[in-house]
Amino acid sequence: MCMISDHFSSYEFACRCGCGFSAVSTELVVLLEDMRDYFSAPVIINSGCRCPQHNSRIGGAKTSLHLDGLAVDCMVNGYSSEIVYKWLESEYPNSLGLGLYRTFVHIDLRNDKTRWNRC
């Protein structure tokens, strides 16, 4: 297992189909480390990078930033997705793509601020 930061390994970001594709932006890892520090709890990556085939199979957008290692779907142990989303919104009010889902938060490094709620 290759650690890419104090608390995250490259394995956590790898495509879930098992193809071996594993890429993640350093900026995104720094953001996730900040989130872990704030909540003092593990951040669980549900979906990191995706190969085009896996992304297509699960119904991901054709231009998903997961394809480039610029997005994650995650949760923080012991905290609701709403609490995590609100913290992210307060910390990054003018940037990021943030999506609120019932059991996770989507975070991406798009150039413009975008928000959505799928609860």
Side-chain angles (χ1 to χ4, degrees):
M1 182 179 343
C2 177
M3 296 301 291
I4 57 175
S5 71
D6 287 344
H7 299 103
F8 295 99
S9 72
S10 58
Y11 175 79
E12 293 174 90
F13 296 93
C15 183
R16 297 295 188 237
C17 80
C19 69
F21 176 55
S22 180
V24 63
S25 160
T26 301
E27 183 181 348
L28 191 54
V29 174
V30 169
L31 182 155
L32 294 168
E33 283 287 356
D34 287 346
M35 190 163 66
R36 190 186 193 290
D37 289 344
Y38 176 80
F39 288 103
S40 297
V43 174
I44 309 302
I45 308 301
N46 299 334
S47 181
C49 63
R50 300 176 187 156
C51 69
Q53 295 80 10
H54 181 64
N55 189 61
S56 178
R57 273 194 302 274
I58 66 168
K62 290 185 190 305
T63 58
S64 172
L65 292 176
H66 286 276
L67 296 165
D68 299 315
L70 298 173
V72 294
D73 298 336
C74 64
M75 57 181 279
V76 177
N77 247 9
Y79 293 89
S80 72
S81 58
E82 290 178 88
I83 289 171
V84 174
Y85 180 89
K86 287 177 183 175
W87 179 80
L88 286 161
E89 174 71 270
S90 71
E91 288 294 302
Y92 303 92
N94 301 311
S95 63
L96 302 179
L98 296 176
L100 176 62
Y101 294 81
R102 190 176 58 79
T103 59
F104 66 90
V105 175
H106 170 91
I107 306 166
D108 69 51
L109 299 179
R110 68 183 68 205
N111 293 326
D112 55 337
K113 172 186 172 178
T114 305
R115 305 290 188 261
W116 64 93
N117 182 337
R118 302 268 165 77
C119 280

